Amino acid sequence: MPAQRFPLLLIGAFFALYIIWGSTYLAIRIGVESWPPLLMAGVRFVIAGSLMFAWLRWRGAPMPTLREWKAGAMVGVLLLSCGNGGVTLAEHLGVASGVAALAVATVPLFALLFGLIWGQRTTRLEWAGIVLGLIGIGLLNLGSNLQASPLGAVLIIFAAASWSFGSMWSKHLPLPAGPMASAVEMLAGGVALLLGSALSGERMESLPTPAGWAALAYLVVFGSIIAFSSYLYLLKNVRPAAATSYAYVNPVVAVLLGVLFAGEHIGGEEGLAMLVIISAVVLIGLPQWRKPKEPALQQTS
């Protein structure tokens, strides 16, 4: 049925995409105060992936083949283990949640660059967006947040690049159909994160605080299941440029929530970087409005 007959559903889906996904950066910041970062991320995705996998199987979805499991595992490691895991580690090292979201907004820039590997054509407007975005990344690294944590800065950029490469590669891999791809990716990515947690020697020195448990529950239910389901709905009912507009809305939401509820401070360089990076992502998104519908980047924040 056309999406126009469900305006409230569309509004709810965009609310989930913009506000919930934007708020996950603050939830991660709260969670890593009492959870080891890799352990929290691994538990989050194993639980969310298991719930989604069980629900899909109960609804009659076919069991993924071995080939599909392998493809989903590769994408899950890139998107979730390296991408989301990198963001979680960076916030654990002290990178502000708003700055982390702003750096991850560079995903569309990296996606265009990696798209060249598979022969994707890039317009002049998109190249202008890439150059502008790289200037924004430079400005962002001049700010006090990333200068105070060089390793955090490296992890954030690595996370954005890994997410972009995994997203572009996923279009050429035999993934399971529909939401089952997300379930497989979350399961594989979560297991890899738990393995990384064990190998790195992470230990629970004490039980998580009530806020830590609440953050984990929020990330599982709202960040990984509700928001992602909304994203899948929007991919089917709106233009790709609208579905991927989270890239320039989430950072604004994350910055505002971080300032209001976590006492984070955003300096002048970082404020200017926000304007530059968001402008770059808008430039990159403009050509999509004139192109036929294409699969948008996956995200599970």
Side-chain angles (χ1 to χ4, degrees):
M1 231 173 243
Q4 289 81 353
R5 296 185 62 179
F6 298 95
L8 291 179
L9 192 56
L10 275 177
I11 292 171
F14 273 113
F15 177 86
L17 203 64
Y18 291 166
I19 306 303
I20 293 178
W21 256 348
S23 67
T24 55
Y25 295 92
L26 178 59
I28 290 172
R29 168 72 182 273
I30 295 171
V32 295
E33 291 178 358
S34 60
W35 283 91
L38 295 180
L39 178 62
M40 185 187 76
V43 170
R44 168 192 175 182
F45 289 118
V46 166
I47 293 175
S50 298
L51 291 174
M52 184 174 285
F53 183 84
W55 182 76
L56 290 170
R57 289 289 292 155
W58 180 72
R59 291 291 301 270
M63 175 68 74
T65 65
L66 179 59
R67 190 163 174 252
E68 290 171 338
W69 274 108
K70 290 179 179 179
M74 289 187 288
V75 174
V77 167
L78 285 168
L79 267 63
L80 305 180
S81 305
C82 298
N84 188 273
V87 171
T88 305
L89 272 175
E91 291 199 39
H92 176 69
L93 293 172
V95 175
S97 60
V99 173
L102 181 56
V104 174
T106 60
V107 163
L109 281 66
F110 285 110
L112 284 179
L113 292 174
F114 288 130
L116 298 175
I117 297 174
W118 288 279
Q120 178 177 298
R121 293 183 178 179
T122 302
T123 66
R124 292 181 180 178
L125 196 60
E126 289 169 332
W127 275 116
I130 289 174
V131 172
L132 191 60
L134 293 175
I135 294 172
I137 292 175
L139 288 171
L140 189 62
N141 279 275
L142 292 177
S144 58
N145 268 281
L146 294 187
Q147 281 193 351
S149 179
L151 179 57
V154 172
L155 284 170
I156 286 291
I157 301 303
F158 170 74
S162 296
W163 192 285
S164 302
F165 183 75
S167 297
M168 298 306 295
W169 195 18
S170 68
K171 299 178 182 181
H172 306 276
L173 292 174
L175 294 171
M180 183 59 81
S182 176
V184 169
E185 289 166 15
M186 284 194 285
L187 282 170
V191 169
L193 283 164
L194 291 179
L195 181 60
S197 173
L199 292 176
S200 65
E202 285 187 344
R203 294 289 184 272
M204 290 289 297
E205 297 180 358
S206 61
L207 287 176
T209 63
W213 283 111
L216 176 64
Y218 183 84
L219 289 168
V220 168
V221 177
F222 291 93
S224 297
I225 297 177
I226 293 178
F228 192 77
S229 298
S230 299
Y231 181 55
L232 292 177
Y233 171 79
L234 289 173
L235 286 180
K236 295 179 181 178
N237 292 281
V238 301
R239 290 177 179 269
T244 56
S245 57
Y246 67 81
Y248 48 85
V249 177
N250 285 174
V252 178
V253 173
V255 166
L256 291 176
L257 292 177
V259 171
L260 291 174
F261 298 106
E264 295 178 350
H265 174 72
I266 302 299
E269 297 90 346
E270 291 149 342
L272 180 59
M274 177 188 292
L275 293 177
V276 172
I277 291 175
I278 291 175
S279 299
V281 177
V282 171
L283 275 179
I284 289 171
L286 286 176
Q288 294 187 56
W289 295 97
R290 300 194 297 268
K291 291 180 180 180
K293 186 175 179 180
E294 296 176 356
L297 294 180
Q298 295 188 38
Q299 173 161 335
T300 308
S301 292

